[in-house]
Amino acid sequence: MCKRTLQHPQVETPPPQPFLISLKNTLNEILFADDPFRKIRNESKTSKKIELGLRHVFPILEWARGYNLEYLKSDVISGITIASLAIPQGISYAQLANLPPILGLYSSFVPPMVYAVMGSSRDLAVGTVAVASLLTAAMLGKEVNAVENPKLYLHLAFTATFFAGLMQTCLGLLRLGFLVEILSHAAIIGFMAGAATVVCLQQLKGLLGLSHFTHSTDVISVLGSIFSQSHMWRWESGLLGCCFLFFLLTTKYISNKRPKLFWISAMAPLVSVIFGSLFVYFLHAQFHGVQIIGELKKGINPPSITHLVFTSPYVTLALKTGIITGVIALAEGIAVGRSFAMYKNYNIDGNKEMIAFGMMNILGSFSSCYLTTGPFSRSAVNYNAGCKTAVSNVVMAVAVAVTLLFLTPLFYYTPLVVLSSIIIAAMLGVIDYEAVMHLWRLDKFDFFVCLSAFFGVVFGTIEIGLILSVGMSVMRLLLFVGRPKIHVMGNIQNTEIYRNIEQYPQATTLSGLIILHIDGPIYFANSSYLRDRIGRWIDEEDERLRKRDENSLQYIILDMSAVGNIDTSGISMLEEVNKILRRRDLKLVIANPGAELMRKLSKSKFIDTIGKDWIHLTVAEAVSACDLMLHTAKPDSPEKISGGVPEFNNV
């Protein structure tokens, strides 16, 4: 062990900072961690600042400058490919939301055009998604029956989309995207898997040709509704559905095995629609238990801004539906965008994405669209098709517009069973078994969070699953904050390095002192726990030394290198610990405190209480100082606690 022979530099307390400046810096770190206005701030010319500002708000102005014919060829191919998937999926998901099928096509026209101008992802393909569609149907269907009152139900769907877009835009403008990230990755995996399971089960209605079905989403109600109507099952519909489902799953398997053949699974839904329609048309299957879509209106999106409902009692329902579906759509869209951005090695701005999603849903609600985001399946096809920019969304929108203007009569004979098969095939891909098993191997608590969200959706409701997802994520966060780890540190031989003795069994503890590393900030939520845990470590170390007849414990070194912040409760805890240690003739030593910690300790006069000489830059220096005192100024044998002096756990 090294003895201190030279004067080591002391730990400095940072200069005091006015409250308003400190608050401003804190808010900047929270809201502008990426410093998005750096280029604008550093520019001297006003015209250049305006140009940079417009490019920041409208990313299309950024990438359009370098756009070329090669990019256009790739984007046209990608756009046509995702249009072939978007058309049947859009119709299917609108059916899932209990909305007119044409709304699925409307929602693939206006929102993608808006996103192409405002979105920052090159690969995201915009459209409707199954989970948001199911949520819309489940939440609105509780109070308004889509069959008995279709007009009100439709208007509430537009209103919910407006509120979802408004919420998303506000989150982006206020840079509060971190609120959405409260849903942990494990919770999202479980929630999406549960929702996908429910969606698949509900599609048994279409596969079996049932006309009446439960509005509940839990598995018990769904299975009960299916088997209670077993006498109504249509074998023709079931057989046709199984054939198309087998075809869709086979094409997906081929594309997964051979990524270059991605177009096979991308075209499969449209091919299924075409062959299903021809099958019904020539064999008149609609008269033999196979339900069909029927007439779809021709023409592009009619305005719907006058249809928004802001009157009681339905405005509350629309607001609640919009916020919940908007959060789920936002979490999915940003996660998908970031995933593909990582593959292509570029960054997307989460707050810009929120504004883009919000604006496309607000404008969509004005033009007969319901909630849209960036679905994984469509974006994966876009990525694999070699898209270069968001122009692929424009090409898709144009293809959908052509369909709306000229081709909608061709969907008259499309069987609903084909749409059910398309949804089931898409949803089976959402259930990520490998991710669940990875959670089990990596972190059992995250696996439990995932299962809780899954079972909440499957055996409860979508809302219960969402509440459980958020609740378990928050509980995990509170456990991290409320129960930070405390490690005993030892010395790596022939070095001045000190590490956790559990991680490094070869590290040796030092006689007469104990080094405790606090692994996290000290707040009101964990101050009592830390006080008790420190006391327990000291009692255990004291007992161990007594049994071995070694030097008695005299110094407690707290390594504060991981303590980024401390509040008044944390300072009170340190003061209390120091008082208890003094009663036991033990000395508290602080090592490696950060700037914020030193500022708070200085203002609270805690530094004066323990003495500035007992605050050190490193653990090695703290050990050296204690070792010097142990060898040169050994204090009288301290009177250890035997009953009269309070212990930590009794304070």
Side-chain angles (χ1 to χ4, degrees), residues 1 12 42 86 98 190 207 256 268 317 356 450 470 477 518 521 550 556 595:
M1 188 185 305
E12 297 292 339
N42 296 335
N98 291 332
L207 285 178
N256 288 338
L317 173 64
C450 177
V470 174
L477 179 64
I518 300 177
E550 295 183 13
I556 314 300

Side-chain angles (χ1 to χ4, degrees), residues 224-291:
S225 181
I226 291 169
F227 288 104
S228 65
Q229 302 182 74
S230 57
H231 59 287
M232 304 277 294
W233 293 0
R234 303 303 300 250
W235 68 267
E236 302 95 334
S237 179
L239 179 61
L240 186 63
C242 288
C243 291
F244 280 110
L245 182 59
F246 177 77
F247 167 70
L248 290 166
L249 293 177
T250 301
T251 58
K252 183 174 287 190
Y253 176 80
I254 293 171
S255 295
N256 288 338
K257 287 293 183 181
R258 300 283 184 87
K260 290 184 178 180
L261 300 178
F262 69 90
W263 54 271
I264 293 179
S265 63
M267 299 293 291
L270 187 59
V271 171
S272 299
V273 168
I274 293 171
F275 277 98
S277 300
L278 292 173
F279 178 85
V280 171
Y281 178 78
F282 286 111
L283 297 181
H284 305 289
Q286 70 270 32
F287 302 118
H288 301 282
V290 178
Q291 300 172 353

Side-chain angles (χ1 to χ4, degrees), residues 29-347:
E29 282 300 311
I30 294 173
L31 303 179
F32 301 99
D34 54 344
D35 195 10
F37 306 117
R38 180 178 62 258
K39 292 181 180 178
I40 300 174
R41 187 175 57 250
N42 296 335
E43 185 58 53
S44 56
K45 294 182 180 179
T46 305
S47 58
K48 190 67 175 176
K49 283 188 175 184
I50 294 173
E51 180 190 341
L52 290 171
L54 288 173
R55 278 160 53 183
H56 180 77
V57 176
F58 302 106
I60 189 173
L61 299 176
E62 185 74 38
W63 53 260
R65 295 181 303 161
Y67 202 75
N68 55 44
L69 187 61
E70 196 66 34
Y71 281 9
L72 180 62
K73 286 168 57 180
S74 299
D75 287 337
V76 167
I77 294 172
S78 302
I80 293 173
T81 306
I82 56 176
S84 68
L85 179 63
I87 292 168
Q89 271 193 352
I91 295 172
S92 304
Y93 293 158
Q95 289 277 112
L96 183 60
N98 291 332
L99 293 167
I102 194 69
L103 257 69
L105 297 182
Y106 290 161
S107 301
S108 294
F109 175 54
V110 172
M113 301 282 278
V114 177
Y115 185 81
V117 174
M118 302 191 70
S120 58
S121 173
R122 304 171 196 166
D123 303 279
L124 208 67
V126 171
T128 55
V129 288
V131 174
S133 301
L134 177 65
L135 268 170
T136 300
M139 298 186 72
L140 294 181
K142 281 184 177 180
E143 298 188 29
V144 180
N145 192 302
V147 177
E148 296 173 1
N149 202 342
K151 189 175 180 181
L152 176 60
Y153 184 89
L154 178 63
H155 293 175
L156 287 176
F158 294 150
T159 311
T161 302
F162 171 78
F163 281 127
L166 189 63
M167 182 269 299
Q168 291 169 339
T169 304
C170 289
L171 285 177
L173 289 174
L174 298 175
R175 302 187 66 83
L176 299 176
F178 61 89
L179 296 177
V180 178
E181 295 174 1
I182 199 169
L183 273 172
S184 69
H185 179 62
I188 291 175
I189 290 173
F191 178 83
M192 297 297 285
T197 302
V198 169
V199 169
C200 289
L201 289 173
Q202 287 201 329
Q203 296 318 298
L204 293 176
K205 171 192 174 183
L207 285 178
L208 299 174
L210 300 176
S211 301
H212 304 286
F213 207 66
T214 179
H215 293 292
S216 300
T217 58
D218 63 283
V219 65
I220 305 299
S221 300
V222 172
L223 292 178
S225 181
I226 291 169
F227 288 104
S228 65
Q229 302 182 74
S230 57
H231 59 287
M232 304 277 294
W233 293 0
R234 303 303 300 250
W235 68 267
E236 302 95 334
S237 179
L239 179 61
L240 186 63
C242 288
C243 291
F244 280 110
L245 182 59
F246 177 77
F247 167 70
L248 290 166
L249 293 177
T250 301
T251 58
K252 183 174 287 190
Y253 176 80
I254 293 171
S255 295
N256 288 338
K257 287 293 183 181
R258 300 283 184 87
K260 290 184 178 180
L261 300 178
F262 69 90
W263 54 271
I264 293 179
S265 63
M267 299 293 291
L270 187 59
V271 171
S272 299
V273 168
I274 293 171
F275 277 98
S277 300
L278 292 173
F279 178 85
V280 171
Y281 178 78
F282 286 111
L283 297 181
H284 305 289
Q286 70 270 32
F287 302 118
H288 301 282
V290 178
Q291 300 172 353
I292 59 174
I293 288 179
E295 185 178 357
L296 294 180
K297 293 180 182 179
K298 288 179 70 174
I300 58 174
N301 304 34
S304 57
I305 188 170
T306 57
H307 297 157
L308 301 183
V309 180
F310 297 116
T311 56
S312 183
Y314 298 114
V315 65
T316 306
L317 173 64
L319 178 63
K320 183 175 73 171
T321 304
I323 290 175
I324 292 178
T325 55
V327 167
I328 293 299
L330 201 57
E332 180 177 357
I334 291 178
V336 170
R338 283 178 174 166
S339 298
F340 289 109
M342 181 182 66
Y343 294 149
K344 286 191 176 179
N345 197 27
Y346 68 94
N347 295 318

Side-chain angles (χ1 to χ4, degrees), residues 55 64 74 94 177 187 271 312 353 364 392 445 467 477 514 538 586 639:
R55 278 160 53 183
S74 299
V271 171
S312 183
E353 290 295 280
S392 59
F445 191 93
I467 290 170
L477 179 64
I514 183 172
I538 293 171
L586 299 174
E639 222 173 73

